[in-house]
């Protein structure tokens, strides 16, 4: 069991463990290919890891096992990023979302390997490395949530994807007139002087799954984000702004920093996705995968979704 002893065996050799780790990573890289077989391999990857450990000699340090789990998790999530990039046009949106939810995580690795589920308290690098990889390659996360779950200190999250709500009546009017020059509209920041709705410069990390809509009872005013578990909530209109958005207007699920799942939950208002030279309108219960660095519009409400520090991690 993890945590019972950290004393290296008499035969312990750091170079030997380093060689094993390099060989393991090379084997994982050959096995984890971003083709259509990846989702099945990813679901089974903790078991594959456990099987590969049977071929290693006994007496390896606990820290070495921790390094193996962190490496396997990171490689799996990085391949997920490449898989989504390669297949987002072919795989239906809801299937991609289901595949994301089936990716293994630290508890799954620990359980499959028969290790103590409380190991993360003693070896917080497990949580730190998963959070880092999730933010770089998958749906992201917050250090506060990891600390609450695992009971250990986690450095502040380095988020890659952000969302900024605002109003913009001039862009709305151009869209109503049938303008198709969408690239000119993205990033504009004009506002009608007579528009009673306010514009904000706030931005929030876009992570995991976010419900977006008009203010409900006891919710904060627009534009605020309430982080929860497992669903976060972004308020984009006041309760009285019934002509601007439904209470449950949009669901956004992050697949990777480069791709998001968008669903229109409202049977009152369509939403428009503009960006990357593309325009797509979603009606009630319609969903789609869209590249990030886009703007989603609902009446006069706009949600700018953009990446930061795109080149910090390959």
């Amino acid at each position: 069991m993890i945590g019972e002893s950290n004393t290296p065996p008499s035969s312990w050799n750091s170079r030997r463990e380093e060689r094993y780790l390099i060989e393991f990573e090379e084997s994982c890289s050959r096995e984890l290919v971003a083709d259509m077989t990846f989702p099945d391999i990813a679901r089974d990857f903790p078991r594959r890891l456990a099987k590969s450990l049977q071929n290693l000699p006994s007496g390896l340090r606990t820290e070495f096992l921790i390094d193996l789990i962190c490496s396997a998790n990171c490689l799996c999530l990085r391949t997920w990023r490449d898989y989504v990039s390669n297949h987002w046009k072919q795989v239906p949106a809801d299937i991609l979302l289901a595949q994301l939810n089936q990716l293994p995580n630290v508890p799954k690795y620990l359980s499959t390997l028969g290790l103590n589920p409380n190991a993360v308290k003693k070896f917080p690098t497990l949580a730190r490395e998963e959070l880092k990889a999730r933010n770089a390659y998958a749906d992201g996360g917050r250090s506060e949530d990891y600390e609450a779950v695992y009971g250990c200190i986690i450095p502040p999250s380095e988020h890659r994807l952000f969302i900024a709500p605002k109003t913009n009546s001039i862009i709305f009017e151009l869209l109503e007139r049938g303008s198709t020059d969408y690239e000119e509209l993205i990033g504009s920041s004009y506002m009608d002087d007579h528009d009673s709705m306010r514009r904000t410069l706030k931005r929030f990390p876009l992570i995991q799954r976010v419900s977006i809509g008009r203010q409900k009872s006891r919710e904060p005013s627009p534009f605020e984000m309430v982080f929860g578990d497992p669903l976060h909530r972004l308020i984009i209109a006041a309760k009285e702004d019934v002509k601007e958005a439904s209470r449950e207007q949009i669901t956004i699920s992050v697949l990777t920093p480069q791709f998001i799942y968008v669903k229109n939950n409202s049977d009152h208002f369509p939403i428009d996705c503009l960006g990357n030279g593309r325009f797509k309108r979603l009606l009630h219960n319609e969903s789609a995968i869209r590249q990030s660095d886009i703007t989603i519009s609902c009446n006069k409400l706009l949600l700018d979704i953009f990446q930061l520090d795109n080149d910090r991690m390959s």
Side-chain angles (χ1 to χ4, degrees):
M1 282 288 187
I2 283 182
E4 291 181 354
S5 174
N6 294 323
T7 304
S10 58
S11 60
W12 173 71
N13 184 296
S14 62
R15 290 186 178 179
R16 183 185 65 170
E17 288 190 358
E18 183 178 354
R19 185 178 73 254
Y20 288 154
L21 184 60
I22 291 173
E23 292 174 354
F24 169 77
E25 291 178 345
E26 290 175 348
S27 174
C28 286
S29 296
R30 291 192 296 269
E31 190 172 5
L32 290 170
V33 180
D35 59 18
M36 295 297 284
T37 67
F38 170 76
D40 291 333
I41 293 175
R43 282 193 297 271
D44 194 43
F45 204 60
R47 188 191 63 81
R48 292 169 180 253
L49 172 59
K51 186 176 181 180
S52 69
L53 289 177
Q54 296 175 1
N55 299 322
L56 296 179
S58 60
L60 295 170
R61 295 180 310 145
T62 298
E63 288 86 349
F64 175 72
L65 298 179
I66 298 299
D67 288 342
L68 282 182
I69 293 173
C70 291
S71 179
N73 203 9
C74 181
L75 289 170
C76 189
L77 291 172
R78 187 172 67 184
T79 308
W80 162 257
R81 176 202 61 183
D82 298 339
Y83 167 77
V84 173
S85 179
N86 292 344
H87 302 292
W88 68 278
K89 291 182 180 179
Q90 292 81 36
V91 180
D94 291 308
I95 291 180
L96 266 182
L97 186 61
Q99 291 170 345
L100 167 68
N101 294 330
Q102 294 170 346
L103 292 177
N105 54 17
V106 164
K108 180 65 174 179
Y109 284 103
L110 293 177
S111 173
T112 304
L113 271 62
L115 301 174
N116 192 327
N118 295 321
V120 184
K121 287 185 179 181
K122 191 161 189 176
F123 299 97
T125 186
L126 285 165
R128 293 171 187 167
E129 290 302 310
E130 177 174 274
L131 178 59
K132 182 179 178 181
R134 284 273 174 179
N135 279 312
Y137 305 129
D139 54 344
R142 296 196 314 150
S143 55
E144 297 91 334
D145 297 330
Y146 272 68
E147 290 178 355
V149 170
Y150 295 116
C152 54
I153 301 300
I154 306 295
S157 308
E158 294 186 4
H159 300 293
R160 302 287 300 274
L161 198 59
F162 289 82
I163 184 168
K166 63 184 180 181
T167 62
N168 196 322
S169 57
I170 288 184
I171 290 182
F172 173 71
E173 290 170 6
L174 290 172
L175 289 173
E176 275 198 326
R177 296 172 194 161
S179 173
T180 57
D181 196 1
Y182 303 119
E183 292 302 310
E184 291 294 325
L185 304 181
I186 302 304
S188 301
S189 59
Y190 303 103
M191 183 176 178
D192 192 327
D193 291 336
H194 301 292
D195 193 343
S196 61
M197 300 183 67
R198 61 195 179 111
R199 176 174 175 258
T200 181
L201 297 177
K202 290 182 178 180
R203 71 183 185 196
F204 306 95
L206 181 59
I207 55 174
Q208 299 163 326
R209 186 160 58 101
V210 181
S211 168
I212 300 172
R214 183 162 50 88
Q215 181 187 31
K216 301 178 183 179
S217 297
R218 295 184 294 277
E219 283 190 333
S221 302
F223 296 107
E224 294 294 341
M225 176 83 85
V226 179
F227 292 100
D229 182 19
L231 185 68
H232 312 302
R233 174 80 173 162
L234 176 60
I235 295 90
I236 57 172
K239 286 188 290 185
E240 60 270 19
D241 292 328
V242 295
K243 294 184 179 181
E244 299 303 330
S246 298
R247 294 184 187 272
E248 296 290 344
Q249 180 67 52
I250 306 167
T251 296
I252 294 179
S253 292
V254 179
L255 299 176
T256 75
Q258 295 77 35
F259 293 92
I260 59 174
Y261 168 98
V262 183
K263 182 176 181 180
N264 182 12
N265 300 309
S266 172
D267 56 1
H268 296 294
F269 307 112
I271 60 174
D272 295 327
C273 302
L274 303 85
N276 302 295
R278 298 173 181 269
F279 168 84
K280 186 172 183 63
R281 171 160 289 186
L282 297 179
L283 303 178
H284 179 225
N285 270 340
E286 289 186 335
S287 59
I289 305 299
R290 309 309 298 166
Q291 291 175 284
S292 53
D293 294 311
I294 66 168
T295 291
I296 298 174
S297 68
C298 176
N299 295 318
K300 296 182 182 181
L301 298 164
L302 300 179
L303 301 169
D304 284 337
I305 298 172
F306 54 93
Q307 299 178 66
L308 291 181
D309 301 326
N310 293 335
D311 298 324
R312 291 187 61 181
M313 186 172 293
S314 61

